[in-house]
Amino acid sequence: MLLIVALALHTCGHPARIIRRADRADSAYLALGRRYAAVGRFGRLGDGTLIAGNWVVTAAHVARAAQRRGLPFEVGGRAYAIGRVVLNPEWTEMGPHDVGLVQLTERVEGVTPIGLYRESGERALTAVLVGHGGTGTGASRARSEDGRARGATSRIDSTDASWLYFSFDAPPSGTDLEGAPGPGDSGGPAIVEVAGTPLVAGVSVAGYDGRDGPGSYGAVDVFTRISTHLAWIDSVLTHS
């Protein structure tokens, strides 16, 4: 089990980036990313996931910054204006409960929302991490950015009441499409599949550098745990 004693928030300013294994083709990560059309972005600030007709789940710090900057949510080839932002009332800067909900001014058309993971068995599940923006490999600090969605897989190493923890394993360890969010990631999802149905289990909020810096092999990424925040999310959506 990973021992985590402090958090370092990803810096806002770039959408989620997916860093891949050096021995796998980028095309495989692009193909995986295309499967999750409900994952969109707030310009270059960060990412979020459509979980209902006009509701997006993301990190609280991303939701607040997007509202302040007047950024739309880009998904399905369109930009949707933000109508309302609801931040988890227990969240404090650099602390746990970093999850927020963004209500768009209109329903998103042509994109199927992704539901929420409602069990408590996240540990050891393999999740898909999805993001836009810069990419590269865990063996190099070189990064490029093209704005395209990519997906990578990683096992959930451990959990606690607030977070899910992932480590970026160097080959030959890790999953076949092992990867990690890169520097600047905020708000992107960790998606697990239950009986073939994709469900959001976590929201990217923080990370630790790997052996060669951010997004390199050995990096540890921290996601807000959705299952322990369901009562609050359901309450907001029910009373909207």
Side-chain angles (χ1 to χ4, degrees), residues 37-189:
V39 181
R41 60 180 183 170
F42 297 96
R44 292 173 55 85
L45 178 67
D47 279 18
T49 308
L50 186 72
I51 59 170
N54 66 332
W55 282 99
V56 174
V57 66
T58 185
H61 69 276
V62 170
R64 183 180 64 181
Q67 183 181 47
R68 288 176 174 175
R69 300 183 192 183
L71 296 176
F73 182 63
E74 302 169 39
V75 68
R78 282 192 55 192
Y80 294 84
I82 293 175
R84 181 164 68 113
V85 164
V86 186
L87 307 180
N88 188 283
E90 297 185 78
W91 173 63
T92 57
E93 194 74 49
M94 302 294 289
H97 313 296
D98 190 354
V99 58
L101 294 167
V102 175
Q103 186 176 31
L104 307 175
T105 57
E106 58 183 309
R107 293 178 62 87
V108 174
E109 301 296 335
V111 176
T112 301
I114 299 178
L116 303 176
Y117 182 78
R118 294 182 172 274
E119 306 298 329
S120 58
E122 297 98 330
R123 187 178 178 186
L125 292 180
T126 296
V128 178
L129 315 179
V130 184
H132 298 78
T135 189
T137 76
S140 169
R141 293 191 180 189
R143 300 291 182 255
S144 61
E145 188 167 336
D146 60 12
R148 302 166 73 185
R150 288 173 172 82
T153 55
S154 187
R155 292 187 184 90
I156 301 171
D157 292 310
S158 63
T159 68
D160 62 24
S162 298
W163 293 301
L164 308 176
Y165 302 104
F166 297 83
S167 59
F168 187 12
D169 298 317
S173 298
T175 62
D176 185 59
L177 290 182
E178 182 80 6
D185 171 49
S186 292

Side-chain angles (χ1 to χ4, degrees), residues 9-33:
L9 282 177
H10 290 299
T11 303
C12 289
H14 297 280
R17 307 161 180 234
I18 295 298
I19 311 302
R20 66 186 187 277
R21 286 176 57 150
D23 60 346
R24 293 292 184 269
D26 186 38
S27 58
Y29 291 82
L30 286 165
L32 184 57

Side-chain angles (χ1 to χ4, degrees), residues 167-234:
S167 59
F168 187 12
D169 298 317
S173 298
T175 62
D176 185 59
L177 290 182
E178 182 80 6
D185 171 49
S186 292
I191 298 170
V192 299
E193 289 203 358
V194 177
T197 300
L199 301 169
V200 179
V203 171
S204 179
V205 294
Y208 294 86
D209 290 357
R211 65 193 188 200
D212 293 315
S216 62
Y217 296 135
V220 174
D221 287 283
V222 186
F223 284 63
T224 297
R225 188 177 180 182
I226 289 295
S227 66
T228 55
H229 295 85
L230 281 172
W232 172 74
I233 294 173
D234 289 343

